[in-house]
Structure formats: structure tokens, C-alpha cells
Amino acid sequence: MSLLELENVHSYYGHIHALQGISLRVEEGEIVTLIGANGAGKSTTLRTISGLIKPRHGSVRLKGQDITGLPPHQIVELGVGHVPEGRGIFPRLTVRENLEMGAYTIQDRAEVARRMEFVFGIFPRLKERINQKGGTLSGGEQQMLATARGLMLKPHILLMDEPSMGLAPVLVEAIFEVIKTLNQQEGTTILLVEQNALMALSVAHRGYVLQIGNIVLDDTAENLKKNEMVRAAYLGVK
Amino acid sequence: MRRLLNATVLIEILRPLGQIAVFVAGAGLILSALMLGMAVLLRGSTVDATTMKNYGVDLFTYTLVNLPQVLIDGVTIGFVYAAIALGYTMVYGVLEFINFAHSEIFAIGAFVGVEVLIALDNSGRLDGIPYTMAYFWLFLAVLAAMVAAGATAVAMERIAYRPLRGAPRLVPLISAIGVSFFLQDAIRLIESLTTGQFHRIIPTFGNFDQQISLASLYIVGTKIDLVMQVKSVIVIVSAIVMVVGLNYLVNATKLGKAIRSVAQDRVTANLMGINVNRIIAMTFLIGGTLGGAAGVLFALKFTRIDPFVGFFPGLKAFTAAVLGGIGNITGALLGGLVLGMLETFSGSYLSVFTMGAFGAEYKDILAFAILILVLIFRPSGLLGEQVGQKA
Ligand SMILES: Nc1ncnc2c1ncn2[C@@H]1O[C@H](COP(=O)(O)OP(=O)(O)O)[C@@H](O)[C@H]1O
Ligand SMILES: [Mg+2]
């Protein structure tokens, strides 16, 4: 049984048919990446998994349990963390408060404190900024905060939507390094959405290629990197 | 860790108290200086002479002698406005929506509180009781009002606003005005069916009407007794408790952080596992209970209520919220105090300074003139940030 499984999912924005029958699965301990051009439906896939969009057809299953149509806050309680596109930092909450919100569903205060120490271990920079308002952080720091906040929950699976967007190359490297570390040392399962296909495929185990609401390819990251179509369309190789 | 926690708690309580002190002193001093300055400027003018003729003292003395009492009354009504303004500001901060039916939530609070006291009075429970019992019953009446007003606010959100979320902004606003009319008439209907009257008078009991003598001052040779009704003290103390309590709740508790998160980014808040609908309902509950309590305090202070009792205080509290910066809790406090004082100042001095051309009744116009001016020149208000802002 897969940790996460989407079967023939159709999602709409009004009349716009954004997902046209997506099926994919993520196994425990994997990094799976979803690559595709702007507007392909990557974010919509993540939003459908976390319940922000209710699919009109198809099902989403978490550890075999049907979670299709559950409200987002209940899906979070089942251990699905979502670091949204554009980071979604609460600008007028402090770094500490932002992190506390990430652990909103955890009642045990000592556990929240432990989680906070854990994410400070990964992002020491955030500890220095602990009482600063989220909105005053730099872009890179905000991405760290968004990722750290997603980890506060100790998620079974972390959905990450374009964590490298708008970051300087050296920060992109750093973020991908964190993703790899999390997966290898903490065993966190990650579904990674990226436009930076090269980076994504270099950390992922497997990948899916999305085109206008359809999955057109799925394979191991190694094979995708070698695939002609992927190389031409997403890796900028002629 | 525990000591750290207590320090935070202490700060969250002390900060609003400090703000209250600063706002009261600041607004009071500025307005007093303004009045005295004008009196000095008008020395020897016809205004001065007219005052001399009517009151037997010159304008400056008249202004000075009346000042302390004007300040006390202004602060009292200012706190009432502030308490109501908190409800507008909480809801606005989270939904960016002005709940025009908040004035009826206030009215419901006033009616439930007063009816509880009337029932107690009719059953003889208020006759000749010791003061401690009087306070107990008053507290009970306030509590009942808070429950009723809070429940109404939550029901209102569920029935009239939630289905319209996502609709253009004007739509819930119209719904709010509809709710407002509906509740006014509901109160009228219930009151006329059950009591045969539209208006109610709060029973006299306890020591609430007594005057406390604060001090005796000698200003320019005139002895002035500074007095304050016990009920004014109750109003002020209760309002301070509400402001401090709300401040603590919003800034230091998990619920408060969730409220601020929802105010800042509803979708992301949802992704944190926050049940956004519940938090919005909680916001209405909090605003509603505060409004309900304010209703009873208002009835205590002004004695007589009718189904339209919420209209003017509601509109003025809304003005106060806008003046302070709608969405901002500290702003509601500041706006309420400033407006209450401005109004009392104009009520007391306008007639003298204009030689009777404009009477005290113009004080109501003042509030709305301020509203219009603020909306034109500084729509974000004096403090101009949102509930999401840690005060
Ligand atoms: N809020 C929205 N309202 C309407 N259409 C949307 C909305 N968000 C996305 N879409 C449309 O859905 C499709 C998929 O978008 P999205 O999932 O955001 O793409 P990606 O994340 O791959 O760039 C696009 O055609 C986009 O225009
Ligand atoms: Mg996207």
C-alpha cells in the first residue's frame, strides 16, 4: 500500500478543467517530484491532495484511507504537510509564532518545543530571527521559515510547491540540500513540485511529468534525466 | 520556561494598561490645552463678556472649572465606545467586513441584561440587598447578556454571512444591514408581546447611583468637588478588563494566534490545520460577548433602553474603530477614548464658545464629521494596522 495515492483525479476551477485524470503514487520514504511547465497543474495537484480543492472525480488515498473531500484542516491532522507556492508566511506573526502555527495540531507543548529545536538545528538562521516578524525576512529566510513550518508538524508526507522559486542559486542549492537531508536522515517522504527540473531530478527518486493537466511520463529520476523529451522541454538541452 | 511565560503574561497585561494611561492622559491633555488656549485667545471678546453675563465668571475660569468633570465624563463614555468598537474591529480584522448588525448585538445585550435585572427586581430579590449582592446580580446580568449576545453573533455569522463568503464585498454588507433591521424588529416584537412596552428602564438598586467624591479642588478661588457616579467607575473598570482580556487573548493564546493567522492568510491558516470556519465563528463570539457586556454597561449608565438603543452608540463606536484604524485593537481603544472625550468636550463647551448658537445636541454631528474627515484624509485611521498586527 502506497503512502499517498491519486487515482484518476479531475479538478476544476469553475469551468477550467485543470487536472484531467491524474494518477500517481508516493511510497513511504521516497522523494517524488512533479515537473512541468507553468500552468501544467502542479500546484493544483498539491492543493487537491491537501483538500483546498475538491476533485470532481477520482480519489485521493493516504495509507489506504480515502481522504477525498475532507476539509484541509483534517487532512493536516492526518499528517500531510503543505509548504505552499509563494511560501505563505504570516507577515505579521513572528518567526516563533509562524512555527507555532505549523504545529497547530500538536497539543503537547513539550513536543512543540522539541520540534522547534529540531528545525532550528536545520535552519540556525531562523533561531537568530526568532522574534522578528515573518514579513521582514529576506526571500531565502522566508523559504526556510516556510519549510521549517511545514516540518513542525512532523508530517508523514511533506508537499513542497516550488521551494526554489525566486531564490539566488546558492540558496537553491541549500534548500535542495535540506530536502535531501530530511529524506535521508529523518525518513521524511516528500512530494516536490518544481520548475527547476534539473535540481528536482537530482534529489528525487522518481518523477512525473505533467502537461496541461495530464501526466505524460513517469519514471525513475535517473531515466527522466536521460529522456529526450524531458531534456528538450525541461532541462534546456538541445 | 515557566518564569518566561509569566513574564510574557505580565507584559501582555501591562502593555494595554500603559496604552490606556497614555491615551487617556494624552487625549485629555491635548483637548484641555485646546479649550484653555481658545479661552485665552477669546479673552475680552464678546464670547468672554457673554459668559461673564450668563455665568458670572470669565470664559477662561468657566472652562477651567468645568474641565475635570468633563474629562471624567468623557473617559466614561469613551470606554463604552471602545468596548463596542472592539467587536467591529475584531470582525473587520479577520473578514475585512463591517458587521453593521453589531449595534443590535449590543442592543440584545442591553435588553437581556436589563430584563434579567427587572425579573430579579419583580421577584423582590433586589430589595434592600447588601452591596455585595447587588454586584453579584449585576455581574450575573452582564454574564447573561454576554451569553445571549455571543450566541446571536455566532448564529448571525452562520446564517447571514458564511453562505456569502466569497461573494463581492457589498453583498455581506447588505446582508448585515438586513440582519440589523431584522434584529431591531425582533427585539421590538418580543418586548411588545411580553411586556407591552418598547422601552425598558434598568431597576435602581445597589449603590450604583451614588456619587463618589474624588477630590475637592480650588481652581482660581472656586471650590470644585470632583464627583463620579459609582456606575461610571463600574463602566470604566469593566471596559478596562475587557480591553486587557482581549489583548491577552489575541496576543498570547493559541486561539489568538490562530485568529491572527486567519486574518493574515486564510488559505495558509487552513493548511496549518486551523479550522478557519471555527476561528471565524470564535471571532464573532468574542466580539459579540464584548458587545453584549457593553450593552448592559450602557443601560446601567444611561438607564433607559429601547430597541433602537444600539443605533447611535453602534455608529459612534464604528466611527471610533475607523478613527483608531479599523482592524486594530489598540486603535479601537484609542478611537473610543478620543471620540468619547471630543464628544463630551463639545457637549459641554460648544454652547458657551458659540454663545448658544450651537448647543450640546451638535455633539452627535461631530462624531460623523470626524468619520467623514478620517475617511477622506486618513482612511487607515490613527494607528492604521490590522488585528493581525501584534498590538
Ligand atoms: N485560482 C485559480 N482560478 C482559476 N484558474 C486557475 C487558478 N489557479 C490555477 N488556475 C489554472 O489552472 C491551471 C493549472 O494551474 P497550476 O496548478 O497553478 O499550475 P502550475 O502550478 O503547474 O504552474 C492553469 O491553467 C491555471 O491558469
Ligand atoms: Mg504552481
Side-chain angles (χ1 to χ4, degrees), chain B residues 83-98:
Chain B
I84 311 170
L86 291 174
Y88 283 104
T89 243
M90 283 290 290
V91 166
Y92 186 87
V94 170
L95 289 180
E96 294 194 2
F97 151 73
I98 294 155

Side-chain angles (χ1 to χ4, degrees), chain A residues 50 52 72-73 76-77 82 84 87-88 90-93 97 100-107 109 133 149, chain B residues 5 251 254 257-258 260-261 263-265 267-276 278-279 386 388-390:
Chain A
S50 49
L52 290 174
H73 62 270
V76 174
E77 278 176 27
H82 187 157
R87 301 162 194 146
F90 298 114
R92 296 184 299 275
L93 295 191
E97 288 170 334
E100 285 170 350
M101 286 300 103
Y104 185 78
T105 52
I106 302 176
Q107 304 304 329
R109 281 186 181 204
K133 297 265 159 71
R149 194 179 58 183
Chain B
L5 220 68
N251 286 332
K254 189 169 175 178
K257 286 171 205 168
R260 285 186 285 143
S261 302
Q264 291 173 34
D265 185 341
V267 174
T268 306
N270 210 188
L271 288 180
M272 300 294 110
I274 296 170
N275 184 343
V276 172
R278 232 188 71 212
I279 295 298
Q386 300 207 338
Q389 176 69 42
K390 204 170 160 167

Side-chain angles (χ1 to χ4, degrees), chain B residues 354-371:
Chain B
T354 60
M355 295 183 290
F358 296 98
E361 61 278 10
Y362 280 85
K363 71 179 173 34
D364 286 341
I365 293 176
L366 183 84
F368 306 121
I370 290 173
L371 178 62

